[in-house]
């Protein structure tokens, strides 16, 4: 293989590795943002018309998300001591779009301990923008044993190695 | 250093980074597979004669694993709402083999909350195949304070930076 | 762009990706070290004059850390069955220094289950040494809803993409 072809191959492969690391960074910005009440920083992780579908109400960014993170229920979590924990995601990059699947947990302080008040499975559709990777849609279902939750998990097996 | 040597160095280093990202992806495919009852997708993470040693019975893939994930006990977890969570692994790649060490937790729904029904430490021996990285052996011990569990943790310190 | 410039760009970008993977490995060495009572391996993750500030007493490595991991309280955790879990960190590399932010949890066995005895948010200042990346300071605050804990989380948003 000539030098030009090897350079192009390296550039393409490295970009895919960087994309995965950037998506890990993006998804792990969410917890510290919402748990510190930084509503705008959290909303900024989505594209302008991004979607957060956690069952029930589907919220469009950025206004609805900012409102959600500023509401009384969320503020109570913030002031009690909470972690919106995103587990290590399974990421598949396809050029300028990507998919990620991971569990997420809301861990809340109760007295001298912490407990898991919510367990969920998530599927993120991501897109490369001029400002880096952003979430286009986050689809979240609680871990309740229903076929709907299993379906989200199975999205993580598409294109499995 | 001449161009050829720099290209080879880049190719070798990039492959190691890609290997780590692929192993993270492989290990994080496990949870969504077993928690959605996708027994065959879970068994596919191992090589044909792979081993899952979780204490007591040692199971060889793929048939024994498929059977385990289809049995009544596991199906009860699937339909209650569970997360077989793999924490971020510590990975060491050595050419065509690799080792990973990580905690794992089984988080199960109970009423309106989730609890940790099993905490464990794991050591994976991995191998590069024509179809990508696969698990050769997963060695899993419950977090019970015994020397056997500490020994698995210490495998994660071999070759520590 | 000429070949020399492309090679330099690749080398610089790849080094940043490798740095992130190495920091993930470093931070995930901590749990298996302290949970197996390997006090010296844990202290080795810091530079010689490194700091672990977990509120209250600030400890300087390595002697103070080794002493902490050998004291009665920590040894009780080790022999009960514990996981000092570091969640996936948000990492920003800047040349020879880096910052990471992540939640951490101490998960302890109690009878037939495990519970979260401590939830915290962490900010690490890291430095590249001749022996690889090391922790210069780990700043840890419990998840108690106080402004001090939120401030640590917000450090993870500096330089957010």
């Amino acid at each position: 293989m000539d030098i030009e072809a090897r350079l192009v191959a390296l550039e393409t492969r490295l970009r895919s590795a960087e994309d995965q690391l950037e998506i890990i960074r993006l998804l792990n910005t969410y917890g510290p943002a919402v748990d510190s009440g930084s509503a705008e920083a959290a909303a900024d992780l989505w594209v302008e018309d991004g979607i957060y579908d956690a069952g029930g109400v589907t919220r469009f960014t950025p206004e609805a998300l900012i409102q959600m993170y500023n509401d009384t229920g969320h503020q109570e979590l913030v002031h009690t001591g909470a972690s919106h924990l995103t587990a290590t995601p399974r990421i598949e990059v396809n050029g300028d779009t990507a998919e990620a699947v991971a569990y997420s947990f809301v861990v809340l302080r109760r007295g001298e301990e912490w407990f898991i008040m919510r367990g969920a499975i998530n599927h993120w559709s991501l897109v490369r923008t001029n400002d880096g990777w952003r979430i286009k849609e986050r689809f979240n279902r609680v871990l309740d044993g229903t076929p709907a939750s299993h379906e989200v998990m199975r999205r993580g097996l598409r294109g499995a190695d």
Side-chain angles (χ1 to χ4, degrees), chain A:
Chain A
M1 196 154 59
D2 67 12
I3 289 170
E4 174 62 24
R6 286 169 77 182
L7 282 169
V8 169
L10 280 165
E11 287 159 350
T12 306
R13 288 167 52 194
L14 179 55
R15 182 159 171 171
S16 171
E18 291 173 327
D19 288 342
Q20 293 173 63
L21 290 166
E22 187 185 329
I23 290 168
I24 290 175
R25 184 159 54 239
L26 183 83
L27 298 183
N28 281 288
T29 304
Y30 179 78
V34 301
D35 292 323
S36 62
S38 310
E40 280 161 50
D44 274 353
L45 304 174
W46 272 262
V47 293
E48 268 293 316
D49 55 348
I51 294 172
Y52 183 8
D53 179 342
V57 183
T58 299
R59 295 169 190 277
F60 295 83
T61 59
E63 291 77 10
L65 273 176
I66 292 175
Q67 194 181 321
M68 178 171 79
Y69 298 128
N70 282 330
D71 78 11
T72 311
H74 185 75
Q75 286 299 313
E76 195 175 311
L77 299 185
V78 167
H79 296 294
T80 300
S83 164
H84 282 73
L85 182 68
T86 304
T88 310
R90 184 187 194 289
I91 301 169
E92 293 275 349
V93 176
N94 285 294
D96 294 332
T97 63
E99 294 185 89
V101 170
Y103 296 102
S104 66
F105 301 94
V106 182
V107 179
L108 187 66
R109 184 171 64 88
R110 184 164 55 195
E112 299 295 303
E113 299 182 8
W114 282 257
F115 76 104
I116 302 169
M117 69 169 278
R118 193 170 196 273
I121 182 75
N122 301 267
H123 176 270
W124 291 264
S125 297
L126 299 132
V127 63
R128 189 196 308 275
T129 75
N130 291 335
D131 301 317
W133 286 91
R134 288 292 182 277
I135 302 164
K136 203 172 160 199
E137 183 183 34
R138 177 180 177 181
F139 193 87
N140 169 294
R141 287 295 177 269
V142 74
L143 295 173
D144 59 3
T146 57
S149 66
H150 299 153
E151 171 52 32
V152 183
M153 295 173 187
R154 283 197 202 98
R155 294 192 197 179
L157 310 177
R158 289 195 303 224
D161 306 306

